[in-house]
Amino acid sequence: MFRLIAKLLLAVAAVAPLAGHAQADNTIKLGYAKCAHCTPLALTPEHATGIKLEAIGFNTGNDVLTALLSKSIDVAQVTYLHYATALDKGFDLVAISGQVNGGSQILVGNDLPLAENDWDGLKKLIAKYKAEGKPFRVAASRGNAQDIHMRGAFAKHGIDVNKDVQFINIPNPSDHVQALRRGEVELICSVDPFATQIRQVKAAKFFAFPYDQAAGKLTNLILTRPDVIAAKPKAVEETVRSIVKVNDLIGKDKPLFVATIQKITGLDQAIAAGAVDNLYPDYQMHRASAVAIGAMMRDLKYINSDVSAKIEKNMDYQFLEKVTGKPKTELGY
């Protein structure tokens, strides 16, 4: 995925100066990917006050990031990983809010003799495969949050993804279920709602939530560009206010969260409800964890440079502070 992001960013760099367009100061175009985490952003226009807020759904986070960099949209929901990758490529993007975290699950084949969270058992099983000359195949969509979560959790439990197992890249998470059904992998780290769907159709069984690592549960982040902040700071503030309102709303109203996922993705209610159990509305921006994610990505050679200083410099808490009335020290700083 990171090679794809890099190609997209290079393409954007070539056209961005030509793609700028004037907009009214009270108009914001907000892009989001159509994942379970992200769908509540479709509710933001009806909760925005004094601005014209348009929420636009994209197929992937890469598409959203490209739209932001090419100035087709003003504000973007992407992931902490996209943020680090864009900074690594030299783009000046500013984080202005969190959104929803979680959504990762590690699943294993139904026939494997593993109980939930039995990491010692997993290590023994991987060693057994190695002794028998068989690869223990683990899969994820390379470079997404679930890939990072899995690699971090493996390292935490003493499993070297590069030496102990064979990594299989399955770019589209919707293909994870068939890979498990065909017996092409022993373990997979997938994203909700696909992870919940895999469990509900019994294509695999739950093993663990991979949150015991540097990235924790962090996934989604809201970004904009410095020129947007300079041109219409009040509209950016009202956009953040709307995101915080929606977060508070879905945090209290689970049926609304479920119905929103159903409406945007077309998934049935049982899958949407299962996915919501693994999602955590959180508008805070977690600075130290974001730096840790950047360091992990560099260690994994997903980015080339140390972006720690850029991550800290480009996290702008002013809008969250105004909207919530809290100091940044209570907002993840």
Side-chain angles (χ1 to χ4, degrees), residues 246-294:
V246 169
N247 260 33
D248 288 342
L249 193 60
I250 60 172
K252 299 173 183 173
D253 190 348
K254 183 176 176 179
L256 174 63
F257 199 168
V258 172
T260 305
I261 293 173
Q262 282 185 270
K263 181 179 179 180
I264 303 299
T265 67
L267 289 167
D268 67 47
Q269 185 178 22
I271 294 173
V276 164
D277 287 338
N278 188 28
L279 301 176
Y280 308 90
D282 181 6
Y283 53 72
Q284 293 190 18
M285 295 191 292
H286 298 274
R287 182 175 59 96
S289 296
V291 171
I293 290 172

Side-chain angles (χ1 to χ4, degrees), residues 27 88 134 264 270 278 333:
T27 299
D88 179 54
K134 298 189 299 184
I264 303 299
N278 188 28
Y333 180 77

Side-chain angles (χ1 to χ4, degrees), residues 283-305:
Y283 53 72
Q284 293 190 18
M285 295 191 292
H286 298 274
R287 182 175 59 96
S289 296
V291 171
I293 290 172
M296 191 190 306
M297 291 173 66
R298 188 186 184 196
D299 290 343
L300 293 170
K301 302 188 186 308
Y302 282 178
I303 59 177
N304 298 316
S305 61

Side-chain angles (χ1 to χ4, degrees), residues 14-318:
V15 303
L18 304 175
H21 59 280
Q23 290 185 6
D25 283 348
N26 68 343
T27 299
I28 291 287
K29 291 185 175 181
L30 166 62
Y32 67 95
K34 293 178 181 177
C35 64
H37 312 53
C38 322
T39 53
L41 290 167
L43 302 174
T44 53
E46 63 186 281
H47 294 282
T49 302
I51 62 170
K52 182 182 178 182
L53 179 58
E54 181 181 357
I56 305 169
F58 289 80
N59 288 331
T60 70
N62 289 345
D63 296 336
V64 180
L65 181 61
T66 301
L68 178 65
L69 291 169
S70 64
K71 301 186 178 180
S72 298
I73 60 174
D74 306 296
V75 176
Q77 167 273 310
V78 292
T79 67
Y80 281 78
L81 287 78
H82 286 102
Y83 177 51
T85 303
L87 295 178
D88 179 54
K89 297 299 177 186
F91 289 97
D92 192 14
L93 297 179
V94 182
I96 54 175
S97 175
Q99 194 245 336
V100 172
N101 297 317
S104 301
Q105 297 188 43
I106 294 179
L107 308 141
V108 295
N110 291 317
D111 296 333
L112 293 184
L114 288 172
E116 292 183 11
N117 295 300
D118 182 10
W119 287 94
D120 288 339
L122 176 60
K123 289 170 66 176
K124 289 178 182 176
L125 188 60
I126 290 172
K128 181 173 181 290
Y129 269 63
K130 186 179 288 187
E132 294 174 353
K134 298 189 299 184
F136 191 93
R137 300 161 298 181
V138 305
S141 298
R142 182 176 175 82
N144 70 4
Q146 288 64 48
D147 181 28
I148 294 292
H149 288 171
M150 179 187 73
R151 289 170 186 268
F154 274 17
K156 183 85 175 182
H157 291 280
I159 300 171
D160 189 327
V161 175
N162 297 316
K163 296 179 179 177
D164 298 331
V165 299
Q166 178 181 340
F167 179 77
I168 307 292
N169 179 32
I170 304 176
N172 191 336
S174 66
D175 295 331
H176 290 179
V177 62
Q178 293 304 330
L180 287 161
R181 280 177 162 164
R182 290 193 293 260
E184 295 173 353
V185 297
E186 278 67 48
L187 178 151
I188 204 162
C189 190
S190 194
V191 61
D192 275 309
F194 301 108
T196 296
Q197 185 179 33
I198 287 168
R199 293 171 64 175
Q200 292 190 355
V201 301
K202 301 187 185 308
K205 60 183 180 182
F206 176 76
F207 178 69
F209 294 115
Y211 300 141
D212 184 20
Q213 35 72 36
K217 298 175 182 175
L218 296 186
T219 52
N220 284 7
L221 196 60
I222 305 296
L223 304 183
T224 188
R225 304 185 309 272
D227 64 286
V228 177
I229 294 175
K232 36 191 170 185
K234 189 63 179 177
V236 173
E237 179 184 325
E238 292 306 317
T239 300
V240 173
R241 191 186 310 280
S242 178
I243 291 169
V244 171
K245 284 182 183 176
V246 169
N247 260 33
D248 288 342
L249 193 60
I250 60 172
K252 299 173 183 173
D253 190 348
K254 183 176 176 179
L256 174 63
F257 199 168
V258 172
T260 305
I261 293 173
Q262 282 185 270
K263 181 179 179 180
I264 303 299
T265 67
L267 289 167
D268 67 47
Q269 185 178 22
I271 294 173
V276 164
D277 287 338
N278 188 28
L279 301 176
Y280 308 90
D282 181 6
Y283 53 72
Q284 293 190 18
M285 295 191 292
H286 298 274
R287 182 175 59 96
S289 296
V291 171
I293 290 172
M296 191 190 306
M297 291 173 66
R298 188 186 184 196
D299 290 343
L300 293 170
K301 302 188 186 308
Y302 282 178
I303 59 177
N304 298 316
S305 61
D306 180 358
V307 293
S308 301
K310 290 181 179 179
I311 286 174
E312 295 203 34
K313 175 178 174 289
N314 288 31
M315 296 187 97
D316 187 345
Y317 287 83
Q318 65 167 309

